[in-house]
Amino acid sequence: MTKKQKKMLIRIIIAAVLLIALNFIPVKGILRMILFLIPYLVIGYDILKKAGKGILNRQVFDENFLMAVATIGAIAIAIYDRSGNFNEAVAVMLFYQIGELFQSYAVGKSRRNISELMDIRPDYANIEQDGKLERVDPDEVEIGTVIVVQPGEKVPIDGIVIEGTSTLNTSALTGESLPRETKVGDEIISGCINMTGVLKIRTIKEFGESTVSKILELVENSTSRKSRSEDFISKFAKYYTPAVCYGALALAILPPLVRMLAMGAAPQWDMWIYRALTFLVISCPCALVISIPLSFFAGIGGASHEGVLVKGSNYLEAMSQTKYVVFDKTGTLTKGVFEVNGVHHSEMEEEKLLEYAALAESASSHPISRSIQRAYGKEIDRTRVSEIEEISGNGVTAKVDGKLVAAGNDKLMKRLGITPIACHSAGTIIHIAIDGKYMGHILISDVEKPTSKEAIRALKSAGIEKTVMLTGDAKRVADQVAEKLGLDEVYSELLPSDKVAQVERLLAEKPEKAKLAFVGDGINDAPVLGRADIGIAMGAMGSDAAIEAADVVLMDDDPLKIVKAIKISKKCIRIVYQNIIFALTIKAICLILGAIGIANMWVAIFADVGVMVIAVLNAIRALYVKNL
């Protein structure tokens, strides 16, 4: 509990004890009223103060005004009819404040998930000077500076490890508790906690542009974008509150006047004023005004705890209506890392063929060449290689142990007058020839993420009608990946502008109320992310432009998190509609009962505070998303 909440709890306890005790003290008249005013003011002075300020600022109609009028009116009736029944006035204020305390605690609970994420903000960065570590403000660290991160410290700025190995705790960023190993040459993002070894990191971004700053900015701004449901409730309360105030006034005045003027009977002012005050307490829109934003806030908090950052409740609402999910391929459904997947049709041992290819490719920095060298896995002896010639768009030739080795595509084989064996596997084919004789080929392909196939299947189970993949890759490669993962449609050999055109076409053909989500990670995906109804960016390895353009950011690049995000959004929207229907139904019934005199002030307390507590309890269920 916060200091403010503890103070309120003490006031509630004091007022409750005084209220109970006063009912056992046999006093009447003015002394009884004065004694009951003590717990009334203890529990309600701030409500009266806020109501007074609202009247002075010409912002009269709010819940504070309703509570003040209802309770002061109840005291006035008790004085007028000499019943001495001041219990209701104190009880209404007491239970209202209990409801407010409960709501404050619930908001604090949902904020905790986001505040845990906020805890990733680093307080300092270590810079080594004259053999000593000096702590500086992360904002003062320039790009290219070497910083030192010791065990237990947060990584303050994005960079590349230049010395040391360690294990990183990334749970604050990704929601996953599994530690990640890091070594020299690895890129490291800010916000992680260094768990074991000392790391020296060369910064590649300024603090304001680093991952941790971007995340904090996204979360801090998330509550500023309201959903249609929240806008509806805000507008509803704006017109609803004055309407019920005027309705209560009419209920207090018109029936007694009609009774007196038309029927010639006694007006019974006290009875009708009491009904009007009951009507006011029942009508208080707290349950809606509090629980609806709280539901979205809890949904965003629960999602952030799972490593899904939603930039606003409007995107959370839109995500619940998603029917089409469109994917980029490289880095989204696949790892974006080339690996040797096989050595085929070899006239010699596969290991020996891979060795000749790695030696021939040893001077090239091309990703394909590097993947062959990694697959070879041994230190390359450059003294065995001579006469290296790289032929642009074809491949390389080189003398290895005195033998002429050619490694490249179909064009290179054709150029050398060698007939390669056709391969229909998805990926890049590197043909190998030695001394003019074809020896076999190496298959290199981008590897699917281990959860991609499961994610596509889970999306369909979650109600997604169409899954589509857009890629710049060759048709043969794209088709095989799409078939393997179970995608509905695939479009290949696309430029960034072509991807936008495809998304425009899909937006035009989808049902009007259905939403289209695009998932991407690269800088060339930014235009499509901005054009889709919901843009989802892979945040851990995604580009800054993609994260900036997206509406939802997945912090660990796991496609399964898309399913998690959609399920969270659907749960949140279900809770919102449950609260709206429940609160309006109960209030409508109680308002009618109050107007005809069946419901008393105790029923009014339930209709206000009871309904609010139930709605808030329902709202905080949006926090619990672990098992979705």
Side-chain angles (χ1 to χ4, degrees), residues 128-421:
E128 192 170 359
Q129 290 186 344
D130 301 324
K132 294 182 179 180
L133 289 183
E134 183 180 340
R135 290 186 176 184
V136 299
D137 190 318
D139 276 318
E140 297 175 4
V141 178
E142 297 179 353
I143 296 173
T145 304
V146 175
I147 59 173
V148 179
V149 183
Q150 300 180 100
E153 292 183 333
K154 300 183 189 84
V155 177
I157 305 169
D158 295 5
I160 294 172
V161 178
I162 60 170
E163 186 179 315
T165 59
S166 183
T167 304
L168 302 176
N169 180 348
T170 62
S171 59
L173 297 174
T174 67
E176 298 295 333
S177 57
L178 289 174
R180 296 188 180 184
E181 302 295 327
T182 189
K183 59 185 185 304
V184 173
D186 289 349
E187 189 171 324
I188 189 170
I189 57 175
S190 51
C192 303
I193 297 174
N194 183 20
M195 295 173 65
T196 52
V198 176
L199 295 175
K200 286 190 177 181
I201 301 167
R202 188 179 302 282
T203 62
I204 56 174
K205 293 180 182 177
E206 293 180 348
F207 176 69
E209 295 300 314
S210 64
T211 302
V212 66
S213 294
K214 295 280 186 184
I215 293 169
L216 295 174
E217 186 181 337
L218 294 184
V219 176
E220 286 164 356
N221 294 335
S222 66
T223 53
S224 65
R225 298 181 175 93
K226 288 189 174 183
S227 67
R228 286 182 300 173
S229 300
E230 286 178 289
D231 284 336
F232 163 73
I233 294 302
S234 298
K235 290 174 184 176
F236 175 80
K238 183 179 178 182
Y239 295 104
Y240 168 82
T241 307
V244 294
C245 286
Y246 291 126
L249 185 63
L251 187 64
I253 296 173
L254 295 180
L257 286 178
V258 170
R259 181 181 172 86
M260 182 176 65
L261 297 176
M263 302 170 62
Q268 298 180 324
W269 290 106
D270 55 340
M271 182 185 80
W272 288 102
I273 290 173
Y274 181 81
R275 288 187 185 182
L277 295 174
T278 303
F279 187 90
L280 276 180
V281 175
I282 294 169
S283 66
C284 188
C286 298
L288 289 173
V289 172
I290 292 168
S291 69
I292 305 310
L294 178 60
S295 300
F296 282 108
F297 192 77
I300 291 171
S304 68
H305 191 263
E306 292 298 303
V308 179
L309 301 184
V310 184
K311 290 187 180 180
S313 51
N314 55 333
Y315 302 124
L316 199 65
E317 187 173 43
M319 205 153 40
S320 69
Q321 301 164 348
T322 302
K323 293 298 178 185
Y324 285 22
V325 178
V326 182
F327 295 91
D328 172 50
K329 181 180 84 70
T330 306
T332 304
L333 292 173
T334 64
K335 293 181 179 178
V337 178
F338 289 102
E339 290 184 6
V340 171
N341 276 347
V343 181
H344 303 291
H345 299 291
S346 177
E347 293 293 327
M348 61 169 60
E349 290 182 12
E350 292 182 1
E351 190 177 338
K352 193 69 177 173
L353 185 71
L354 192 58
E355 180 182 355
Y356 275 113
L359 288 164
E361 298 273 10
S362 60
S364 176
S365 60
H366 192 280
I368 298 292
S369 301
R370 287 184 173 178
S371 68
I372 293 173
Q373 292 168 45
R374 279 198 307 271
Y376 174 51
K378 298 176 184 177
E379 189 174 344
I380 292 175
D381 183 0
R382 293 290 293 271
T383 60
R384 296 171 59 190
V385 188
S386 62
E387 299 180 26
I388 297 172
E389 182 185 359
E390 188 162 351
I391 304 167
S392 180
N394 286 247
V396 297
T397 61
K399 282 280 184 75
V400 179
D401 296 336
K403 298 178 180 180
L404 181 61
V405 177
N409 56 22
D410 290 344
K411 292 179 184 176
L412 180 63
M413 295 296 107
K414 187 177 180 181
R415 183 187 185 113
L416 298 175
I418 299 167
T419 304
I421 297 174

